[in-house]
Amino acid sequence: MSFLDRYLAVWILVAMAAGLLIGRLVPGVAAALDSVKVADVSLPIALGLLVMMYPVLAKVRYDETDRVTGDRKLLVMSLVLNWVVGPALMFALAWLMLPDLPEYRTGLIVVGLARCIAMVFVWNDLACGDREAAAVLVAINSVFQVIAYAGLGWFYLQTLPGWLGLETTSAEFSVGAIALSVVVFLGVPLVAGFLTRHVGERARGRQWYEETFLPRIGPWALYGLLFTVVVLFAFQGEAITTRPLDVARMALPLLAYFVLMFGGSLFAARAAGLNYAKSTAVAFTAAGNNFELAIAVAIGTWGVTSGQALAGVVGPLIEVPVLVGLVYVALWAGRRFFPSDPTVPGALRQDPRAGRTAAVAPTNPHAASADPYAGEAGR
């Protein structure tokens, strides 16, 4: 692994600390960061997300997505986990752990309804998950997000609490704003990644594209991630440091949510007979959330200084370090719970060129491989 990959957890912690210091010590930084927006999200955050996603989406082999779209088991499982289990779990955790904090509780429910379309590509890639599966699942989630988000918001904030005799919350969700978020934060980097691969392969061939070009742009995914983390923490640095107990209260249900969704999804996929690479893609797409949409909805509905907006921001602040940790958990679980699976990084597989069995090293998404077969470990 490259130096950047090997110490990713350290860089994330440094970025978080730097963001907190900037937000706390630089007057007016939050207002400056929020002065220009793209799809109701701060421009610096939007740029960080786009830079982060482009290299990963440029790695996807789009001509292989048909093998994913034909896998009904994979698609149905992902839809159930994302649109039935995920929102229900966040609703339950928010009410169980924040019964006395209605604004924060509502904010977390809004986070739970927004399924991930951005950072999931980075986590899946680092854990050597199936890139094509992740791309297809995220695209499907995006369609469902536009169609179902407003209806699910109404159900979990008004209808279900009413049935259970709990306090209800009134909220209005703009379908146009949701669609704009999907177009900007998934559509733009997806089209850019597709066109880059199509043009690059036609001009120089797949071998040059994957062994020379991709390693050059690969590190930018993590540069974009670290930049986004710094900006996010700077954006709410003062609120986080002045209300640490509130943040801690919200962190508990979020931590439980990410761990339960990831672990449950990984083992549900394994029990359904999916290999490590596909199980990992299912687990990360189910565990992650579309924080840029959740923040935009919370700010647009309740205001930038509301507790709901703070909960939306706290979501990714907890998600980023937890899912970095779950990348290492996924790599460990692959070796422990997916025996004889050729998609596990480091697994033994037959080398078709030499007719022999060889160990496949973990896929490094940010460095060139001398072995053109090695990159298949994450598939």
Side-chain angles (χ1 to χ4, degrees), residues 103-104 236 243 298-312:
E103 289 191 359
Y104 297 154
Q236 287 288 341
R243 289 189 275 178
I299 292 175
T301 305
W302 294 285
V304 69
T305 60
S306 65
Q308 291 90 340
L310 179 60

Side-chain angles (χ1 to χ4, degrees), residues 57-73:
L57 287 169
K59 296 175 185 177
V60 174
R61 292 178 174 176
Y62 294 94
D63 57 351
E64 295 183 12
T65 54
D66 56 341
R67 66 176 173 79
V68 179
T69 55
D71 191 334
R72 284 191 173 185
K73 185 187 301 182

Side-chain angles (χ1 to χ4, degrees), residues 12-24:
I12 290 288
L13 292 174
V14 170
M16 291 165 61
L20 283 175
L21 288 174
I22 293 172
R24 182 66 175 171

Side-chain angles (χ1 to χ4, degrees), residues 115 148 153 160 203 311:
R115 313 315 300 167
L160 184 57

Side-chain angles (χ1 to χ4, degrees), residues 213-237:
F213 178 73
L214 287 183
R216 291 176 182 171
I217 67 170
W220 283 95
L222 294 189
Y223 298 155
L225 171 62
L226 294 174
F227 174 78
T228 304
V229 171
V230 171
V231 175
L232 276 171
F233 274 76
F235 191 68
Q236 287 288 341

Side-chain angles (χ1 to χ4, degrees), residues 342 344-350 358-363 371 373-378:
V344 175
L348 294 178
R349 57 177 279 179
Q350 190 71 22
V360 179
T363 302
D371 182 356
Y373 288 84
E376 293 297 311

